[in-house]
Amino acid sequence: MLSKDVAAPQGPLSDKLGRPLRDLRISLTDHCNFRCVYCMPKAVFGTRYHFVGHDGLLSFAEIERLVRLFAGLGVSKLRLTGGEPLLRPRIEELIASLAGIEGIEDIALTTNGSLLTQAKATALRAAGLGRVTVSLDSLRDATFQAMNDVGFPVAKVLAAIDHAHRAGLPVKLNMVVRRGLNDEDVVPMAEHFRGTGHVLRFIEYMDVGNMNGWQPEDVVPSREIIERIASRWPLEPVEPLRYGEVAKRYRYQDGAGEIGLISSVSQPFCGSCTRARLSPEGRLYTCLFGTAGTDLREPLRAGDGDEAILDLLQRVWGLREDRYSELRNILRARAGKEKVEMFHIGG
Ligand code: SAM
Ligand code: SF4
Ligand code: SF4
């Protein structure tokens, strides 16, 4: 039985499980200047790994055209991600063009913060970026550097968060919690971001891709995270504002703001998943744990008209019945197809 928190909105297009298409996550590149152990472990993604080459990437014009078509099918929210999306030069030009598309109400960016200077944050805001999510897994350099595996210091990510805030961008923080690696950092992170207005979101470590060596016992269930934080600062649940909200939200009873929990492993939310994902080379995935995408670049470059591409998008979404997280145990037990990697289609 699929769970739905809030009634599904009506839209022009629904999948086989009645879920509308609302969000598009666009991975702008599969390159990254970090090698987070849970995402792109260095041993696998070293100098010999083949990333998408420049000509293989969707151009900004191709992305804009696709977004226009997706908007016509009900997409109103975009998230730019990667890899590290700020590695893509002149990303603000893309944002400005996407912000002008009718029906697009919200453009967000997920970044590791390493390239988020004050000038960049200001330019992104001016171009029409609505908000930013910065990933940060620990406040301790030793732990954070062991997790990003390129020796990137915490202070520079904290500076990036300030830059975004000063540029007027609402900020959320993503912290992936992996048992034995950074679960001791849950309460210090909560303490640091309480009262700042930035929403810290704890993400259960997921079995995305095929390379991160995920084991169920590495996951710290959200329930445990809530208990640890609530034993210091009492929390109360916040009702979801809209259908398909990924994070379960809690507020501090003392008024110090909110936290979010993304519990893809312990409390899957496939029942209201309205997200499509576009890979850097233009493949459309209908699930974060997808094994095969649909090539949109080929028809774009072959000169297909809008009608033909719209028809393809409608067919793909209409046939969608993904709910990997709800079926994780069954699907993991099945040998076979490899899943797309997280850095390839973004979070
Ligand atoms: N490079 C950018 C960043 O790190 O923010 C954007 C892309 S990254 C793939 C998007 C989000 O996915 C990040 O917040 C990251 O922490 C999260 N992520 C990556 N691998 C994960 C995993 N195995 N489980 C849970 N979250 C993961
Ligand atoms: Fe790069 Fe983000 Fe993956 Fe870390 S989580 S390796 S920053 S894409
Ligand atoms: Fe959506 Fe797939 Fe995640 Fe379920 S597992 S919430 S269908 S992306």
Side-chain angles (χ1 to χ4, degrees):
M1 175 76 186
L2 300 175
S3 61
K4 292 190 176 71
D5 294 322
V6 178
Q10 298 304 304
L13 186 59
S14 285
D15 71 7
K16 278 192 158 179
L17 302 176
R19 299 167 295 187
L21 172 59
R22 282 292 144 114
D23 313 62
L24 181 64
R25 299 196 166 188
I26 306 171
S27 173
L28 294 176
T29 175
D30 57 351
H31 287 260
C32 189
N33 53 348
F34 283 16
R35 284 292 178 275
C36 301
V37 291
Y38 48 72
C39 179
M40 290 178 88
K42 224 184 225 171
V44 183
F45 302 99
T47 46
R48 297 168 84 177
Y49 187 80
H50 287 287
F51 292 96
V52 180
H54 183 263
D55 292 345
L57 294 175
L58 286 188
S59 68
F60 286 173
E62 287 169 333
I63 295 173
E64 186 190 347
R65 179 162 173 223
L66 285 177
V67 169
R68 242 176 240 293
L69 297 176
F70 273 109
L73 296 176
V75 165
S76 59
K77 294 179 64 175
L78 302 177
R79 177 168 296 276
L80 306 179
T81 178
E84 176 45 47
L86 295 183
L87 285 172
R88 191 89 190 244
R90 301 187 309 284
I91 183 180
E92 48 277 31
E93 290 173 16
L94 174 68
I95 292 171
S97 71
L98 300 180
I101 294 176
E102 195 181 329
I104 297 302
E105 293 164 5
D106 182 29
I107 306 180
L109 172 84
T110 307
T111 173
N112 62 26
S114 60
L115 301 169
L116 195 58
T117 60
Q118 188 60 67
K120 193 70 172 179
T122 305
L124 293 169
R125 182 60 167 156
L129 187 70
R131 54 211 176 84
V132 69
T133 300
V134 179
S135 303
L136 178 64
D137 299 323
S138 174
L139 292 165
R140 293 181 294 159
D141 263 324
T143 306
F144 183 54
Q145 292 181 5
M147 290 182 82
N148 66 52
D149 212 10
V150 293
F152 200 82
V154 171
K156 286 197 175 175
V157 182
L158 294 178
I161 294 166
D162 282 349
H163 297 151
H165 179 64
R166 270 194 232 114
L169 287 163
V171 179
K172 286 183 183 155
L173 289 320
N174 273 0
M175 172 180 178
V176 177
V177 185
R178 188 163 141 183
R179 195 179 297 283
L181 203 52
N182 67 337
D183 54 317
E184 292 305 317
D185 298 275
V186 163
V187 171
M189 284 280 286
E191 182 162 35
H192 184 89
F193 289 107
R194 268 169 50 81
T196 61
H198 308 326
V199 177
L200 173 59
R201 298 165 356 138
F202 300 93
I203 305 181
E204 288 179 350
Y205 172 45
M206 293 186 281
D207 52 333
V208 285
N210 318 282
M211 305 296 184
N212 66 7
W214 185 89
Q215 295 295 330
E217 48 280 14
D218 296 333
V219 179
V220 181
S222 291
R223 179 173 302 282
E224 189 180 324
I225 292 175
I226 296 168
E227 281 165 10
R228 289 198 202 179
I229 297 174
S231 67
R232 273 290 286 284
W233 307 282
L235 290 167
E236 60 194 18
V238 179
E239 287 303 308
L241 283 175
R242 58 170 202 98
Y243 177 84
E245 236 172 49
V246 172
K248 285 250 183 315
R249 298 185 291 136
Y250 286 79
R251 71 166 76 86
Y252 293 107
Q253 285 182 12
D254 64 6
E258 272 187 23
I259 59 167
L261 293 116
I262 301 179
S263 321
S264 160
V265 180
S266 68
Q267 298 160 56
F269 37 81
C270 303
S272 58
C273 178
T274 55
R275 292 174 289 285
R277 297 179 149 88
L278 193 58
S279 75
E281 77 283 36
R283 294 189 82 80
L284 174 63
Y285 289 85
T286 53
C287 180
L288 181 55
F289 300 88
T291 49
T294 302
D295 187 8
L296 301 180
R297 188 183 62 189
E298 201 273 324
L300 279 175
R301 294 190 182 172
D304 284 15
D306 286 354
E307 286 301 317
I309 296 175
L310 268 176
D311 186 56
L312 178 59
L313 301 182
Q314 277 170 305
R315 267 186 288 129
V316 170
W317 194 264
L319 288 171
R320 176 187 192 239
E321 46 186 356
D322 304 278
R323 49 192 192 110
Y324 177 89
S325 288
E326 291 186 339
L327 304 175
R328 176 172 275 109
N329 292 339
I330 302 167
L331 296 179
R332 276 183 67 76
R334 267 188 213 157
K337 294 183 189 155
E338 294 201 336
K339 291 172 278 170
V340 64
E341 294 293 335
M342 181 77 153
F343 67 88
H344 203 85
I345 51 167

